[in-house]
Amino acid sequence: MARSSPDTSDVYGKALLDYYQKGEAATLYLHTSYNAVEEMPVDWFFREEEDFPAIEIRALDLCKGKILDIGAGVGSHAIYLYEKGKEVHCLEQSSSCIEIMKARGLSNLLCQSIWEPIAHQYDTLLMMMNGIGIVGDMEGLRTFLREAHQWLIPNGKIIFDSSDLSYLYPDIRDQHHPYNGEIRYQYEYKGKKGDWFSWLYIDPMTMKKIAGQEGWKFQLITEDHNDQYLATLLKY
């Protein structure tokens, strides 16, 4: 599932804001580059602790020190961490999501993309619900990993989950997307379509290889039966 979008029209954010303010929202559609249209369950973004999958609980329990929740959405993971006494900051490009997080009592909110400078350093970068996918593609992943060294203190780490899509979508490979996990999406809400944006799903072996080349130590934490995995990248 794509957690958030760099969509400048913020179609995604408008759906979430409707749900937060009215208790319901029209159907949020997700168009894909593999010729499918999916319905995004808007209430899923507002989950509470009892609804978190085991892989997310494990990730949140690994968070230490000063935390930056990247692609924080409406702040569900940040609220969990805050209530556990953690210092958590949130980075989210959707202004509607920033509005929701403020209303939910969160502070230390950065309304920006991951490609803009970050003023502080953190102990932990958290990227959940395939948040690492926000890098867009393999080239973007390498760029992000190089930049993220500056965002972390020595021995800081990135916590993320992703999936290996190769067995699910063997036919989406083409000359423009040589890696199966490079997907393009477009949100649609109330008849309005946002911009197409790129999202990356990366298998653990490929991630381990690229991470090592960019100065990170990859550690696989756990995998589930849906080929989703949780891992950390340790800065060294």
Side-chain angles (χ1 to χ4, degrees), residues 1 44 53-56 128-131 160-165 167 201-202 204 220 222-231:
M1 176 180 291
W44 180 252
I55 200 168
E56 293 184 13
M128 294 308 299
M129 293 174 68
N130 197 60
F160 72 97
D161 63 330
S162 193
S163 303
D164 180 0
L165 298 190
Y167 81 101
Y201 295 82
I202 185 165
L220 181 65
T222 188
E223 295 179 275
D224 67 17
H225 60 279
N226 294 317
D227 282 280
Q228 183 181 22
Y229 68 92
L230 174 68

PDB file of all heavy atoms in Angstrom, residues 1 44 53-56 128-131 160-165 167 201-202 204 220 222-231:
ATOM      1  N   MET A   1       0.844  -1.195   0.000  1.00  0.00           N
ATOM      2  CA  MET A   1       0.000   0.000   0.000  1.00  0.00           C
ATOM      3  C   MET A   1       0.874   1.237   0.000  1.00  0.00           C
ATOM      4  O   MET A   1       1.820   1.337   0.766  1.00  0.00           O
ATOM      5  CB  MET A   1      -0.890  -0.001   1.253  1.00  0.00           C
ATOM      6  CG  MET A   1      -1.735   1.241   1.396  1.00  0.00           C
ATOM      7  SD  MET A   1      -2.751   1.193   2.866  1.00  0.00           S
ATOM      8  CE  MET A   1      -3.890  -0.094   2.396  1.00  0.00           C
ATOM      9  N   TRP A  44      -8.176   2.977   6.928  1.00  0.00           N
ATOM     10  CA  TRP A  44      -6.946   2.250   7.250  1.00  0.00           C
ATOM     11  C   TRP A  44      -5.849   3.205   7.735  1.00  0.00           C
ATOM     12  O   TRP A  44      -5.023   2.843   8.572  1.00  0.00           O
ATOM     13  CB  TRP A  44      -6.480   1.487   6.019  1.00  0.00           C
ATOM     14  CG  TRP A  44      -5.215   0.683   6.200  1.00  0.00           C
ATOM     15  CD1 TRP A  44      -3.982   0.947   5.705  1.00  0.00           C
ATOM     16  CD2 TRP A  44      -5.094  -0.549   6.925  1.00  0.00           C
ATOM     17  NE1 TRP A  44      -3.086  -0.026   6.071  1.00  0.00           N
ATOM     18  CE2 TRP A  44      -3.741  -0.957   6.818  1.00  0.00           C
ATOM     19  CE3 TRP A  44      -5.989  -1.339   7.652  1.00  0.00           C
ATOM     20  CZ2 TRP A  44      -3.262  -2.122   7.430  1.00  0.00           C
ATOM     21  CZ3 TRP A  44      -5.512  -2.497   8.247  1.00  0.00           C
ATOM     22  CH2 TRP A  44      -4.172  -2.873   8.140  1.00  0.00           C
ATOM     23  N   PRO A  53      -0.744  -4.152  12.302  1.00  0.00           N
ATOM     24  CA  PRO A  53      -0.197  -5.493  12.084  1.00  0.00           C
ATOM     25  C   PRO A  53       1.044  -5.710  12.952  1.00  0.00           C
ATOM     26  O   PRO A  53       1.706  -4.756  13.375  1.00  0.00           O
ATOM     27  CB  PRO A  53       0.174  -5.494  10.601  1.00  0.00           C
ATOM     28  CG  PRO A  53      -0.594  -4.368   9.996  1.00  0.00           C
ATOM     29  CD  PRO A  53      -0.744  -3.342  11.079  1.00  0.00           C
ATOM     30  N   ALA A  54       1.385  -6.971  13.182  1.00  0.00           N
ATOM     31  CA  ALA A  54       2.522  -7.301  14.034  1.00  0.00           C
ATOM     32  C   ALA A  54       3.815  -6.672  13.532  1.00  0.00           C
ATOM     33  O   ALA A  54       4.662  -6.234  14.325  1.00  0.00           O
ATOM     34  CB  ALA A  54       2.669  -8.819  14.131  1.00  0.00           C
ATOM     35  N   ILE A  55       3.985  -6.593  12.217  1.00  0.00           N
ATOM     36  CA  ILE A  55       5.210  -6.052  11.653  1.00  0.00           C
ATOM     37  C   ILE A  55       5.362  -4.571  11.987  1.00  0.00           C
ATOM     38  O   ILE A  55       6.483  -4.075  12.183  1.00  0.00           O
ATOM     39  CB  ILE A  55       5.240  -6.301  10.119  1.00  0.00           C
ATOM     40  CG1 ILE A  55       6.671  -6.210   9.581  1.00  0.00           C
ATOM     41  CG2 ILE A  55       4.327  -5.330   9.375  1.00  0.00           C
ATOM     42  CD1 ILE A  55       6.801  -6.719   8.153  1.00  0.00           C
ATOM     43  N   GLU A  56       4.245  -3.850  12.103  1.00  0.00           N
ATOM     44  CA  GLU A  56       4.302  -2.434  12.451  1.00  0.00           C
ATOM     45  C   GLU A  56       4.607  -2.244  13.928  1.00  0.00           C
ATOM     46  O   GLU A  56       5.390  -1.360  14.307  1.00  0.00           O
ATOM     47  CB  GLU A  56       2.999  -1.734  12.067  1.00  0.00           C
ATOM     48  CG  GLU A  56       2.783  -1.666  10.566  1.00  0.00           C
ATOM     49  CD  GLU A  56       1.530  -0.888  10.170  1.00  0.00           C
ATOM     50  OE1 GLU A  56       0.960  -0.184  11.030  1.00  0.00           O
ATOM     51  OE2 GLU A  56       1.111  -0.998   9.005  1.00  0.00           O
ATOM     52  N   MET A 128       7.202   3.643   7.375  1.00  0.00           N
ATOM     53  CA  MET A 128       6.305   2.499   7.432  1.00  0.00           C
ATOM     54  C   MET A 128       5.245   2.530   6.331  1.00  0.00           C
ATOM     55  O   MET A 128       5.086   3.517   5.634  1.00  0.00           O
ATOM     56  CB  MET A 128       5.621   2.435   8.802  1.00  0.00           C
ATOM     57  CG  MET A 128       6.594   2.161   9.950  1.00  0.00           C
ATOM     58  SD  MET A 128       7.637   0.700   9.663  1.00  0.00           S
ATOM     59  CE  MET A 128       6.417  -0.600   9.526  1.00  0.00           C
ATOM     60  N   MET A 129       4.518   1.411   6.208  1.00  0.00           N
ATOM     61  CA  MET A 129       3.543   1.217   5.146  1.00  0.00           C
ATOM     62  C   MET A 129       4.223   1.387   3.790  1.00  0.00           C
ATOM     63  O   MET A 129       3.767   2.099   2.919  1.00  0.00           O
ATOM     64  CB  MET A 129       2.341   2.147   5.312  1.00  0.00           C
ATOM     65  CG  MET A 129       1.501   1.841   6.535  1.00  0.00           C
ATOM     66  SD  MET A 129       0.177   3.042   6.812  1.00  0.00           S
ATOM     67  CE  MET A 129      -0.896   2.699   5.421  1.00  0.00           C
ATOM     68  N   ASN A 130       5.350   0.708   3.649  1.00  0.00           N
ATOM     69  CA  ASN A 130       6.220   0.817   2.479  1.00  0.00           C
ATOM     70  C   ASN A 130       6.632   2.267   2.232  1.00  0.00           C
ATOM     71  O   ASN A 130       6.711   2.728   1.108  1.00  0.00           O
ATOM     72  CB  ASN A 130       5.585   0.228   1.220  1.00  0.00           C
ATOM     73  CG  ASN A 130       6.627  -0.032   0.144  1.00  0.00           C
ATOM     74  OD1 ASN A 130       7.566  -0.791   0.351  1.00  0.00           O
ATOM     75  ND2 ASN A 130       6.489   0.633  -0.989  1.00  0.00           N
ATOM     76  N   GLY A 131       6.916   2.971   3.336  1.00  0.00           N
ATOM     77  CA  GLY A 131       7.306   4.367   3.230  1.00  0.00           C
ATOM     78  C   GLY A 131       8.585   4.588   2.457  1.00  0.00           C
ATOM     79  O   GLY A 131       8.789   5.670   1.899  1.00  0.00           O
ATOM     80  N   PHE A 160      12.279   0.397   8.134  1.00  0.00           N
ATOM     81  CA  PHE A 160      11.345   0.441   7.005  1.00  0.00           C
ATOM     82  C   PHE A 160      10.790  -0.951   6.718  1.00  0.00           C
ATOM     83  O   PHE A 160      11.349  -1.968   7.141  1.00  0.00           O
ATOM     84  CB  PHE A 160      12.049   0.981   5.751  1.00  0.00           C
ATOM     85  CG  PHE A 160      13.033   0.015   5.146  1.00  0.00           C
ATOM     86  CD1 PHE A 160      12.670  -0.803   4.084  1.00  0.00           C
ATOM     87  CD2 PHE A 160      14.316  -0.099   5.655  1.00  0.00           C
ATOM     88  CE1 PHE A 160      13.561  -1.710   3.532  1.00  0.00           C
ATOM     89  CE2 PHE A 160      15.217  -1.002   5.112  1.00  0.00           C
ATOM     90  CZ  PHE A 160      14.841  -1.809   4.045  1.00  0.00           C
ATOM     91  N   ASP A 161       9.686  -0.970   5.993  1.00  0.00           N
ATOM     92  CA  ASP A 161       9.158  -2.221   5.474  1.00  0.00           C
ATOM     93  C   ASP A 161       8.949  -2.069   3.971  1.00  0.00           C
ATOM     94  O   ASP A 161       8.783  -0.974   3.459  1.00  0.00           O
ATOM     95  CB  ASP A 161       7.849  -2.629   6.165  1.00  0.00           C
ATOM     96  CG  ASP A 161       6.730  -1.624   5.939  1.00  0.00           C
ATOM     97  OD1 ASP A 161       7.004  -0.429   5.773  1.00  0.00           O
ATOM     98  OD2 ASP A 161       5.560  -2.041   5.926  1.00  0.00           O
ATOM     99  N   SER A 162       9.008  -3.195   3.259  1.00  0.00           N
ATOM    100  CA  SER A 162       8.755  -3.185   1.830  1.00  0.00           C
ATOM    101  C   SER A 162       8.331  -4.593   1.423  1.00  0.00           C
ATOM    102  O   SER A 162       8.148  -5.465   2.279  1.00  0.00           O
ATOM    103  CB  SER A 162       9.983  -2.713   1.047  1.00  0.00           C
ATOM    104  OG  SER A 162       9.624  -2.417  -0.296  1.00  0.00           O
ATOM    105  N   SER A 163       8.179  -4.790   0.124  1.00  0.00           N
ATOM    106  CA  SER A 163       7.708  -6.072  -0.388  1.00  0.00           C
ATOM    107  C   SER A 163       8.430  -6.417  -1.684  1.00  0.00           C
ATOM    108  O   SER A 163       8.845  -5.533  -2.437  1.00  0.00           O
ATOM    109  CB  SER A 163       6.195  -6.035  -0.666  1.00  0.00           C
ATOM    110  OG  SER A 163       5.468  -5.678   0.486  1.00  0.00           O
ATOM    111  N   ASP A 164       8.540  -7.716  -1.936  1.00  0.00           N
ATOM    112  CA  ASP A 164       9.064  -8.216  -3.203  1.00  0.00           C
ATOM    113  C   ASP A 164       7.870  -8.492  -4.110  1.00  0.00           C
ATOM    114  O   ASP A 164       7.081  -9.402  -3.858  1.00  0.00           O
ATOM    115  CB  ASP A 164       9.870  -9.491  -2.962  1.00  0.00           C
ATOM    116  CG  ASP A 164      10.455 -10.072  -4.235  1.00  0.00           C
ATOM    117  OD1 ASP A 164      10.233  -9.486  -5.315  1.00  0.00           O
ATOM    118  OD2 ASP A 164      11.119 -11.115  -4.154  1.00  0.00           O
ATOM    119  N   LEU A 165       7.718  -7.695  -5.171  1.00  0.00           N
ATOM    120  CA  LEU A 165       6.565  -7.825  -6.062  1.00  0.00           C
ATOM    121  C   LEU A 165       6.825  -8.690  -7.289  1.00  0.00           C
ATOM    122  O   LEU A 165       5.929  -8.873  -8.107  1.00  0.00           O
ATOM    123  CB  LEU A 165       6.111  -6.435  -6.548  1.00  0.00           C
ATOM    124  CG  LEU A 165       5.640  -5.426  -5.510  1.00  0.00           C
ATOM    125  CD1 LEU A 165       5.015  -4.230  -6.210  1.00  0.00           C
ATOM    126  CD2 LEU A 165       4.656  -6.036  -4.525  1.00  0.00           C
ATOM    127  N   TYR A 167       7.022 -11.801  -7.996  1.00  0.00           N
ATOM    128  CA  TYR A 167       6.171 -12.961  -8.276  1.00  0.00           C
ATOM    129  C   TYR A 167       4.728 -12.552  -8.551  1.00  0.00           C
ATOM    130  O   TYR A 167       3.970 -13.305  -9.179  1.00  0.00           O
ATOM    131  CB  TYR A 167       6.212 -13.951  -7.105  1.00  0.00           C
ATOM    132  CG  TYR A 167       5.301 -13.594  -5.954  1.00  0.00           C
ATOM    133  CD1 TYR A 167       4.066 -14.230  -5.772  1.00  0.00           C
ATOM    134  CD2 TYR A 167       5.657 -12.597  -5.055  1.00  0.00           C
ATOM    135  CE1 TYR A 167       3.225 -13.890  -4.724  1.00  0.00           C
ATOM    136  CE2 TYR A 167       4.831 -12.256  -4.000  1.00  0.00           C
ATOM    137  CZ  TYR A 167       3.616 -12.912  -3.837  1.00  0.00           C
ATOM    138  OH  TYR A 167       2.796 -12.559  -2.807  1.00  0.00           O
ATOM    139  N   TYR A 201       8.862  -0.596  -4.650  1.00  0.00           N
ATOM    140  CA  TYR A 201       8.853  -1.773  -3.781  1.00  0.00           C
ATOM    141  C   TYR A 201      10.149  -2.524  -4.071  1.00  0.00           C
ATOM    142  O   TYR A 201      10.434  -2.837  -5.233  1.00  0.00           O
ATOM    143  CB  TYR A 201       7.656  -2.672  -4.087  1.00  0.00           C
ATOM    144  CG  TYR A 201       6.320  -2.040  -3.780  1.00  0.00           C
ATOM    145  CD1 TYR A 201       5.712  -1.171  -4.688  1.00  0.00           C
ATOM    146  CD2 TYR A 201       5.662  -2.298  -2.587  1.00  0.00           C
ATOM    147  CE1 TYR A 201       4.496  -0.586  -4.419  1.00  0.00           C
ATOM    148  CE2 TYR A 201       4.423  -1.722  -2.307  1.00  0.00           C
ATOM    149  CZ  TYR A 201       3.852  -0.858  -3.228  1.00  0.00           C
ATOM    150  OH  TYR A 201       2.646  -0.283  -2.943  1.00  0.00           O
ATOM    151  N   ILE A 202      10.918  -2.843  -3.048  1.00  0.00           N
ATOM    152  CA  ILE A 202      12.234  -3.425  -3.279  1.00  0.00           C
ATOM    153  C   ILE A 202      12.418  -4.698  -2.460  1.00  0.00           C
ATOM    154  O   ILE A 202      12.103  -4.731  -1.262  1.00  0.00           O
ATOM    155  CB  ILE A 202      13.351  -2.396  -2.979  1.00  0.00           C
ATOM    156  CG1 ILE A 202      14.720  -2.965  -3.325  1.00  0.00           C
ATOM    157  CG2 ILE A 202      13.270  -1.885  -1.545  1.00  0.00           C
ATOM    158  CD1 ILE A 202      15.810  -1.915  -3.399  1.00  0.00           C
ATOM    159  N   PRO A 204      14.372  -7.727  -0.454  1.00  0.00           N
ATOM    160  CA  PRO A 204      15.436  -7.571   0.549  1.00  0.00           C
ATOM    161  C   PRO A 204      16.842  -7.793   0.023  1.00  0.00           C
ATOM    162  O   PRO A 204      17.781  -7.114   0.456  1.00  0.00           O
ATOM    163  CB  PRO A 204      15.066  -8.596   1.632  1.00  0.00           C
ATOM    164  CG  PRO A 204      14.096  -9.527   1.003  1.00  0.00           C
ATOM    165  CD  PRO A 204      13.384  -8.740  -0.045  1.00  0.00           C
ATOM    166  N   LEU A 220      17.821  -7.716   8.161  1.00  0.00           N
ATOM    167  CA  LEU A 220      16.442  -8.189   7.996  1.00  0.00           C
ATOM    168  C   LEU A 220      15.897  -8.567   9.367  1.00  0.00           C
ATOM    169  O   LEU A 220      16.467  -9.413  10.069  1.00  0.00           O
ATOM    170  CB  LEU A 220      16.418  -9.399   7.057  1.00  0.00           C
ATOM    171  CG  LEU A 220      15.051 -10.003   6.768  1.00  0.00           C
ATOM    172  CD1 LEU A 220      14.160  -9.024   6.018  1.00  0.00           C
ATOM    173  CD2 LEU A 220      15.208 -11.304   5.964  1.00  0.00           C
ATOM    174  N   THR A 222      12.254  -9.268  10.097  1.00  0.00           N
ATOM    175  CA  THR A 222      11.222 -10.308  10.004  1.00  0.00           C
ATOM    176  C   THR A 222      10.558 -10.245   8.636  1.00  0.00           C
ATOM    177  O   THR A 222      10.610  -9.225   7.947  1.00  0.00           O
ATOM    178  CB  THR A 222      10.157 -10.141  11.119  1.00  0.00           C
ATOM    179  OG1 THR A 222       9.281 -11.271  11.112  1.00  0.00           O
ATOM    180  CG2 THR A 222       9.332  -8.879  10.918  1.00  0.00           C
ATOM    181  N   GLU A 223       9.941 -11.345   8.236  1.00  0.00           N
ATOM    182  CA  GLU A 223       9.158 -11.428   7.014  1.00  0.00           C
ATOM    183  C   GLU A 223       7.802 -12.042   7.350  1.00  0.00           C
ATOM    184  O   GLU A 223       7.668 -12.778   8.324  1.00  0.00           O
ATOM    185  CB  GLU A 223       9.861 -12.298   5.972  1.00  0.00           C
ATOM    186  CG  GLU A 223      11.180 -11.753   5.471  1.00  0.00           C
ATOM    187  CD  GLU A 223      11.841 -12.674   4.466  1.00  0.00           C
ATOM    188  OE1 GLU A 223      12.550 -13.604   4.914  1.00  0.00           O
ATOM    189  OE2 GLU A 223      11.628 -12.485   3.249  1.00  0.00           O
ATOM    190  N   ASP A 224       6.789 -11.762   6.518  1.00  0.00           N
ATOM    191  CA  ASP A 224       5.497 -12.404   6.719  1.00  0.00           C
ATOM    192  C   ASP A 224       5.131 -13.241   5.496  1.00  0.00           C
ATOM    193  O   ASP A 224       5.884 -13.324   4.528  1.00  0.00           O
ATOM    194  CB  ASP A 224       4.406 -11.387   7.073  1.00  0.00           C
ATOM    195  CG  ASP A 224       4.073 -10.421   5.935  1.00  0.00           C
ATOM    196  OD1 ASP A 224       4.431 -10.709   4.766  1.00  0.00           O
ATOM    197  OD2 ASP A 224       3.440  -9.391   6.210  1.00  0.00           O
ATOM    198  N   HIS A 225       3.960 -13.854   5.537  1.00  0.00           N
ATOM    199  CA  HIS A 225       3.551 -14.776   4.475  1.00  0.00           C
ATOM    200  C   HIS A 225       3.132 -14.062   3.189  1.00  0.00           C
ATOM    201  O   HIS A 225       2.857 -14.719   2.189  1.00  0.00           O
ATOM    202  CB  HIS A 225       2.401 -15.655   4.976  1.00  0.00           C
ATOM    203  CG  HIS A 225       1.177 -14.884   5.381  1.00  0.00           C
ATOM    204  ND1 HIS A 225       1.064 -14.264   6.601  1.00  0.00           N
ATOM    205  CD2 HIS A 225       0.028 -14.625   4.715  1.00  0.00           C
ATOM    206  CE1 HIS A 225      -0.113 -13.656   6.678  1.00  0.00           C
ATOM    207  NE2 HIS A 225      -0.755 -13.856   5.547  1.00  0.00           N
ATOM    208  N   ASN A 226       3.094 -12.716   3.225  1.00  0.00           N
ATOM    209  CA  ASN A 226       2.727 -11.954   2.028  1.00  0.00           C
ATOM    210  C   ASN A 226       3.943 -11.351   1.327  1.00  0.00           C
ATOM    211  O   ASN A 226       3.803 -10.419   0.532  1.00  0.00           O
ATOM    212  CB  ASN A 226       1.759 -10.829   2.416  1.00  0.00           C
ATOM    213  CG  ASN A 226       0.433 -11.355   2.915  1.00  0.00           C
ATOM    214  OD1 ASN A 226      -0.127 -12.290   2.339  1.00  0.00           O
ATOM    215  ND2 ASN A 226      -0.068 -10.772   3.992  1.00  0.00           N
ATOM    216  N   ASP A 227       5.136 -11.877   1.623  1.00  0.00           N
ATOM    217  CA  ASP A 227       6.380 -11.366   1.057  1.00  0.00           C
ATOM    218  C   ASP A 227       6.660  -9.924   1.456  1.00  0.00           C
ATOM    219  O   ASP A 227       7.374  -9.201   0.771  1.00  0.00           O
ATOM    220  CB  ASP A 227       6.407 -11.510  -0.468  1.00  0.00           C
ATOM    221  CG  ASP A 227       6.720 -12.935  -0.892  1.00  0.00           C
ATOM    222  OD1 ASP A 227       7.901 -13.303  -0.879  1.00  0.00           O
ATOM    223  OD2 ASP A 227       5.774 -13.677  -1.208  1.00  0.00           O
ATOM    224  N   GLN A 228       6.076  -9.508   2.560  1.00  0.00           N
ATOM    225  CA  GLN A 228       6.411  -8.218   3.145  1.00  0.00           C
ATOM    226  C   GLN A 228       7.483  -8.453   4.205  1.00  0.00           C
ATOM    227  O   GLN A 228       7.456  -9.470   4.901  1.00  0.00           O
ATOM    228  CB  GLN A 228       5.189  -7.565   3.780  1.00  0.00           C
ATOM    229  CG  GLN A 228       5.453  -6.170   4.346  1.00  0.00           C
ATOM    230  CD  GLN A 228       4.221  -5.562   4.995  1.00  0.00           C
ATOM    231  OE1 GLN A 228       3.301  -6.274   5.400  1.00  0.00           O
ATOM    232  NE2 GLN A 228       4.200  -4.254   5.103  1.00  0.00           N
ATOM    233  N   TYR A 229       8.408  -7.521   4.313  1.00  0.00           N
ATOM    234  CA  TYR A 229       9.469  -7.696   5.308  1.00  0.00           C
ATOM    235  C   TYR A 229       9.742  -6.387   6.019  1.00  0.00           C
ATOM    236  O   TYR A 229       9.420  -5.302   5.535  1.00  0.00           O
ATOM    237  CB  TYR A 229      10.744  -8.215   4.635  1.00  0.00           C
ATOM    238  CG  TYR A 229      11.415  -7.230   3.702  1.00  0.00           C
ATOM    239  CD1 TYR A 229      12.418  -6.375   4.145  1.00  0.00           C
ATOM    240  CD2 TYR A 229      11.041  -7.138   2.357  1.00  0.00           C
ATOM    241  CE1 TYR A 229      13.023  -5.465   3.280  1.00  0.00           C
ATOM    242  CE2 TYR A 229      11.649  -6.239   1.487  1.00  0.00           C
ATOM    243  CZ  TYR A 229      12.641  -5.407   1.961  1.00  0.00           C
ATOM    244  OH  TYR A 229      13.233  -4.502   1.113  1.00  0.00           O
ATOM    245  N   LEU A 230      10.336  -6.527   7.205  1.00  0.00           N
ATOM    246  CA  LEU A 230      10.767  -5.390   8.011  1.00  0.00           C
ATOM    247  C   LEU A 230      12.281  -5.454   8.134  1.00  0.00           C
ATOM    248  O   LEU A 230      12.849  -6.539   8.355  1.00  0.00           O
ATOM    249  CB  LEU A 230      10.135  -5.462   9.404  1.00  0.00           C
ATOM    250  CG  LEU A 230      10.595  -4.415  10.424  1.00  0.00           C
ATOM    251  CD1 LEU A 230      10.113  -3.024  10.016  1.00  0.00           C
ATOM    252  CD2 LEU A 230      10.073  -4.772  11.825  1.00  0.00           C
ATOM    253  N   ALA A 231      12.933  -4.311   7.963  1.00  0.00           N
ATOM    254  CA  ALA A 231      14.388  -4.283   8.019  1.00  0.00           C
ATOM    255  C   ALA A 231      14.868  -2.959   8.594  1.00  0.00           C
ATOM    256  O   ALA A 231      14.106  -1.992   8.702  1.00  0.00           O
ATOM    257  CB  ALA A 231      14.981  -4.502   6.631  1.00  0.00           C
TER     258      ALA A 231
END
